Amino acid sequence: MTERRKIIIDTDPGQDDAVAILLALASPELEVLGITAVAGNVPLALTETNARKICELAGKTDTKVFAGAIRPMVRDLVTAEYVHGKTGLDGPDLPPPSMPLQPQHAVDFIVETLRNADVNEVTLCVLGPMTNIALALNRAPDILPKVAEIVAMGGGLFEGGNTTPAAEFNIYVDPHAADVVFRCGRPITLLPLDLTHKCLTTRARVDAFRALGTRVGDATAALLDFFERFDEAKYGTDGGPLHDPNVIAWLLRPDLYQGRHINVEVETMSELTIGMTVADWWGVTDRSANVNYLRDVDDDGFYALLLERLARL
Ligand code: RIB
Ligand code: CA
């Protein structure tokens, strides 16, 4: 096997984050150096607890989990219990975690890990508001060359927003952090709503996880059953979009995805459109192409990968 890809997963679990973490922990191609929790879908005390619950569900209790930013860089925290439930991981009944939370702050872990890494050695997988990442880059710009790539779920153009008409949740919660990340100069791959809205948790797909007959399969089906209800009602579809696991799936099977390198900037001023990702898909400006913006996915291939990998846990 080729050398394992070193990754840090920054996350706000969140049912879809949970499935992304399961996919990463089930995939030998990836070496998860740490999981850093951030406030987002629910407050930090819950996102870090949920991250540990998922590691225990996966049977990977040696995974290092860190707690990071308790709030966005500038704006007040906005959470999404209306989607994820009051625990942020509603659906399955997962026991409180017994594995420890690491004492080091997540931002210190990110900075220290990258400072000790080789150039282009670590990929940052960003599944929630980008607060931890931006704080690390601002505090220690010397770590930038060590970042191989930033792969993030967030934003949207053709699908508009899911939190305001203009903004997707991760970017909306911390637009100032997203602005730091999009301007950082390192390779960025973005998986926006334009893509994730093509990955619906249809009844057949959720039933396939349940048919695994495993604890992970049952928990995944319960996570998705709960998570999808809000978007099913909103969009009138069979199932809801499954966002975050696409970040990990892209690392494993980039052939399932298509997009183009374009300019993406973030609105940080206007209250009407704050958090909007202004994506120059048609190249109407001369702004530099800073993002590999993925718009299309083989959704059957994505779910086949997900099922095959989760069956291993
Ligand atoms: O807009 C979808 C994103 O916001 C996903 O990452 C979901 O987990 C929430 O964080
Ligand atoms: Ca998330």
Side-chain angles (χ1 to χ4, degrees):
M1 181 173 73
T2 55
E3 191 178 334
R4 301 174 74 196
R5 184 169 184 157
K6 293 179 168 60
I7 70 172
I8 292 173
I9 300 174
D10 193 70
T11 179
D12 63 335
Q15 287 86 354
D16 60 321
D17 303 68
V19 179
I21 292 167
L22 291 172
L23 177 59
L25 294 177
S27 299
E29 303 93 322
L30 305 175
E31 181 183 353
V32 180
L33 301 178
I35 295 177
T36 51
V38 67
N41 286 321
V42 286
L44 178 67
L46 287 172
T47 58
E48 66 86 354
T49 298
N50 292 341
R52 288 188 285 150
K53 284 183 176 182
I54 292 304
C55 289
E56 292 194 346
L57 172 66
K60 306 285 186 182
T61 54
D62 56 345
T63 308
K64 291 181 179 174
V65 176
F66 303 81
I70 199 162
R71 53 157 299 142
M73 290 174 76
V74 175
R75 290 173 66 84
D76 291 337
L77 177 63
V78 171
T79 53
E81 288 85 349
Y82 59 92
V83 176
H84 299 272
K86 65 180 177 16
T87 72
L89 214 53
D90 285 26
D93 182 16
L94 298 176
S98 53
M99 64 182 278
L101 175 71
Q102 298 299 311
Q104 188 178 27
H105 190 283
V107 175
D108 295 333
F109 166 74
I110 293 168
V111 170
E112 179 184 277
T113 301
L114 288 170
R115 279 187 168 152
N116 293 332
D118 293 334
V119 169
N120 291 330
E121 188 174 21
V122 181
T123 297
L124 303 180
C125 300
V126 190
L127 312 182
M130 301 181 175
T131 317
N132 288 338
I133 308 303
L135 290 173
L137 297 182
N138 282 349
R139 183 196 304 174
D142 58 287
I143 65 176
L144 277 167
K146 311 298 185 69
V147 177
E149 183 168 19
I150 298 169
V151 187
M153 188 278 143
L157 173 67
F158 302 99
E159 285 294 305
N162 61 3
T163 304
T164 73
E168 175 278 326
F169 180 82
N170 289 339
I171 313 299
Y172 177 76
V173 169
D174 199 339
H176 301 90
D179 189 45
V180 168
V181 171
F182 283 123
R183 294 180 185 279
C184 78
R186 298 306 292 155
I188 297 170
T189 291
L190 190 65
L191 294 100
L193 296 177
D194 305 330
L195 182 140
T196 64
H197 281 200
K198 297 170 183 171
C199 295
L200 298 182
T201 60
T202 63
R203 185 51 30 210
R205 287 165 172 170
V206 175
D207 288 348
F209 289 112
R210 191 169 281 109
L212 288 175
T214 64
R215 203 164 154 260
V216 166
D218 289 344
T220 299
L223 287 166
L224 298 183
D225 274 340
F226 184 90
F227 171 68
E228 70 185 7
R229 85 216 180 288
F230 179 82
D231 281 338
E232 275 189 318
K234 176 177 174 182
Y235 298 114
T237 47
D238 172 16
L242 184 54
H243 308 288
D244 294 341
N246 280 288
V247 169
I248 306 301
W250 184 79
L251 296 180
L252 299 170
R253 288 284 309 280
D255 59 294
L256 296 176
Y257 296 86
Q258 290 84 37
R260 63 174 72 158
H261 281 83
I262 64 171
N263 177 266
V264 178
E265 297 193 10
V266 181
E267 175 59 61
T268 60
M269 308 292 283
S270 154
E271 271 307 319
L272 178 63
T273 57
I274 194 156
M276 179 178 182
T277 47
V278 182
D280 187 5
W281 180 263
W282 302 114
V284 297
T285 74
D286 59 0
R287 294 197 287 256
S288 66
N290 57 331
V291 173
N292 176 28
Y293 190 94
L294 299 181
R295 186 182 177 188
D296 289 303
V297 55
D298 169 355
D299 55 326
D300 287 331
F302 165 67
Y303 275 96
L305 172 69
L306 210 42
L307 191 66
E308 185 272 323
R309 292 298 166 100
L310 267 54
R312 300 185 186 190
L313 293 174

